[in-house]
Amino acid sequence: MSGSSNPLTPDELRRINAYWRACNYLSVGMIYLRDNPLLREPLKPAHIKNRLLGHWGSDPGQSFIWVHLNRLIKKYDLSAIFVSGPGHGAPATLANSYLEGRYTEVYADCTQDDKGMLRLFQQFSFPGGLGSHCTPETPGSIHEGGELGYSVSHAFGAAFDNPDLIVACCVGDGEAETGPLATSWHSNKFLNPITDGAVLPILHLNGYKIANPTILARISHEELECLFKGYGYTPYFVEGSDPEVMHQKMAEVMERCVVEIRAVQEKCRKSGVAERPRWPMIVLRSPKGWTGPKEVDGHKVEDFWRAHQVPVSDPVTNPKSLAIVEQWLRSYKPEELFDAKGSLQPELASLAPEGMRRITANLHANGGKLCVPLDLPRFQDYAVEVKVPASTYSSPTGVLATFLRDVMKRNMTNFRVFGPDETASNKLQGIYSASNKTWMAEIKPEDADGTEISTNGRVMEMLSEHTLEGWIEGYALTGRHGLFSTYESFVHVIDSMFNQHCKWLESCKKVLTWRAPIPSINLLITSLVWRQDHNGFTHQDPGFLDVVCNKNPDVVRVYLPPDANCLLSVGDHCLRSRDYFNVIVADKQPHLNFLDMDAAVKHCAKGVGIWNFASTDEGTEPDVVLACAGDIATMETLAAASILREKFPDLRVRFVNVVDLFKLQGADEHPHGLSDRDFDSLFTADRPVIFNFHSYPSLVHKLIYKRTNHDNFHVRGYKEKGNINTPLELAIVNEVDRYSLCIQVIDRVHRLSKTGAHVKEWLKDMSFEAVQYAHREGWDPVEIRDWVWPAKK
């Protein structure tokens, strides 16, 4: 790199500025124009869209970054993608995609001429057209940007295990005020210069949000610089408003950053020693709505919050406003930028990279194209031996860890495990024999004694669910595989991120044939409500499943494997899947092993089934159906079946276990749903069903509301009751325990309601005594703690 403060020649400066003008022209055109795309006649109200939608304020700054990134891609043959944090500034990304020619390759009707340009303008923020954010329909995007806060975590997720990739991440200064963004700056403590790519964060300080100043734009230069030095970056500042001066500054600073990144990587890769550098970042301070109208109706617009969305709101009805828009558009001199056909002038088109080096054509932004399937071991080889159902105990997640350990060993460049300081807590520490936790910050001598951290680790732990979810999304969107485990009570932290990713997947699957399927997000929810008796009420919330079940059935799956062998089967299935958000609910504490591996595989393949060993209907119509979903719910239901078998030997009980929650829905509502005939065959058309559910009871009713026998379903689940309880006491206060379930059967089976009074009283006494014992001894009686299915007499 030249040491000159003016690295661009006059001709380079002229052409780069012209290319930037073309980007800005297209951005304004997308917001305003429905006709006359190149202003070859005076602008008229009929040329303006009836509804003006979009965001102008960040577009010039984002295109400014883009055009300088293009220069360096060509100069250094870089592989680079762009993450738009202020994703509502989609006109910038769309404009660059169009000028690079990639947009035309994907959408053939948007040709490289005046007709194609008009088509682009007409599509933007228009019914049946394009959204106003960097949606999946946008070539080159892996980040929609509508909900702010996740750009940096997505960028780092994309960079992990992609050693040749540079992710330029534009962070809006409004976005920088969000909690998720604030924690994600720490991602630089997890980036390995040897095995990973690089992220170049560019904080775009344009000063304003929708109607307020931004915090980081209103603190001193010194304070801002100290903030990012404290985060571990080397901040470089590009500040001003004169385009020619700013182009020279940006060219110099961005090139310096790229050279520093490559020098760090080259040094570490040659030495084999992974050290954490102070990675470079850029602070770009430019006017909001740069190059737009400076004033409208006596109010300041450029470099003020009024430039955020549509700076001139009434050009159709106000001639003065129409003139402002026309003057604004003509200020970019489109006649100099586009030829007679409406194509970008060749000398400007040559500034863009070619082929797959174009940012919007880079395959990392269409990660399914680069996806390598996991080399998975046979999950059956990790089976727990089950000679007699429900006679031994295992930690389901502890067993899963042995499988994941070998998945990791066989896939050391495209599989990672994520979790918020809970891998060991969630009994997944068996993975550490394959790989430690990633850690690029200081490592102390005492860490050798069990901390399990190293610079080349592949287990990603940080106490921020937001950052972890962003990492795994970025990792999957660029074609790699992962599993994210977290405490059930705090998975709600990522509710909104889950929503956004599901919407992304839905758009890709339903509309976009050009986007290749990507690995699913696999979320293991553990440390479950029914074993949070020690942490208390705040740690008891199984309601994430309600959020999941609101999403489109084509992209979400919910599995509640009842034991370790079923968890292995489900885990293998999920790791092989594409384009889903898989939610697996499995506890970490030792629980009963119900099924041998062959039975577990069959049961999970069906998703729901009758357990013959726990049933007494023997092929006849049952008196009652005991149904359950969830490992702890299954144990308590099985214990209830045992009591009923002893107390009412002639009672015909059918025991049904549900693994795939969506089997409860109709086949017309979910692809996994049972037909009405199959559902009635399992649950009957008219017999009482006592359903013991892991989560809130209302969810089951929601899923089965159209079923024939819905009125006879009596669902028990979490009822927002809990404290520092023993496991059985917590079950009792929520009426999911064995005694309460038996009482429900007595109340619902007509003949027992008349003859079961004595048993019912005994059950109440047992419940009372269990609570008294818990309060006296601090734990449950041994016959509860070590309960197993009774051996046949």
Side-chain angles (χ1 to χ4, degrees), residues 621-627 679-680 683-691 700-701 704-705 707-716 744-745 747-750:
E621 187 81 3
D623 295 313
V624 65
V625 176
L626 288 180
F679 189 90
D680 291 346
F683 294 101
T684 77
D686 58 2
R687 300 304 168 98
V689 180
I690 312 302
F691 198 118
V700 172
H701 286 294
I704 66 168
Y705 78 100
R707 297 297 191 178
T708 304
N709 199 26
H710 174 250
D711 289 348
N712 282 321
F713 267 73
H714 308 282
V715 185
R716 292 295 174 264
Q744 279 292 311
V745 171
D747 288 345
R748 304 299 176 183
V749 176
H750 182 66

Side-chain angles (χ1 to χ4, degrees), residues 232-248:
Y233 294 91
T234 299
Y236 292 98
F237 288 78
V238 177
E239 302 172 292
S241 60
D242 184 307
E244 292 196 1
V245 175
M246 289 287 282
H247 280 302
Q248 294 287 10

Side-chain angles (χ1 to χ4, degrees), residues 381-411:
D381 294 342
Y382 304 84
V384 175
E385 185 178 21
V386 180
K387 294 181 178 179
V388 177
S391 62
T392 59
Y393 281 76
S394 299
S395 163
T397 56
V399 173
L400 180 68
T402 62
F403 172 64
L404 294 175
R405 172 200 64 206
D406 292 345
V407 174
M408 184 79 79
K409 286 180 179 179
R410 296 162 74 130
N411 301 274

Side-chain angles (χ1 to χ4, degrees), residues 49 90 198 202 259 369 465 495 508 528 591 606 626 633 793:
K49 294 179 179 179
I202 302 154
V259 169
K369 295 282 189 181
E465 289 86 349
D495 277 3
C508 291
L528 303 181
H591 291 292
K606 291 186 295 183
L626 288 180
K793 297 180 181 179

Side-chain angles (χ1 to χ4, degrees), residues 269-343:
R269 292 171 188 179
K270 280 186 176 180
S271 68
V273 178
E275 298 177 341
R276 180 171 72 93
R278 285 187 169 272
W279 293 103
M281 67 167 292
I282 298 172
V283 178
L284 171 63
R285 191 189 297 267
S286 64
K288 193 172 189 75
W290 196 9
T291 72
K294 296 189 180 302
E295 186 178 288
V296 175
D297 293 334
H299 299 289
K300 182 175 182 177
V301 174
E302 186 191 46
D303 200 22
F304 198 50
W305 56 261
R306 286 191 177 90
H308 182 78
Q309 292 175 307
V310 180
V312 186
S313 61
D314 59 348
V316 172
T317 58
N318 187 333
K320 183 178 177 182
S321 296
L322 183 66
I324 292 173
V325 172
E326 181 170 15
Q327 181 182 9
W328 177 13
L329 284 163
R330 292 193 184 281
S331 71
Y332 299 115
K333 301 180 180 178
E335 66 279 2
E336 296 179 2
L337 308 175
F338 303 97
D339 64 19
K341 296 190 304 178
S343 302

Side-chain angles (χ1 to χ4, degrees), residues 210-239:
I210 294 175
N212 276 297
T214 57
I215 294 170
L216 295 185
R218 294 291 183 96
I219 62 177
S220 69
H221 180 102
E222 179 186 16
E223 188 177 352
L224 187 64
E225 185 174 22
C226 287
L227 174 67
F228 287 104
K229 284 184 175 179
Y231 273 128
Y233 294 91
T234 299
Y236 292 98
F237 288 78
V238 177
E239 302 172 292

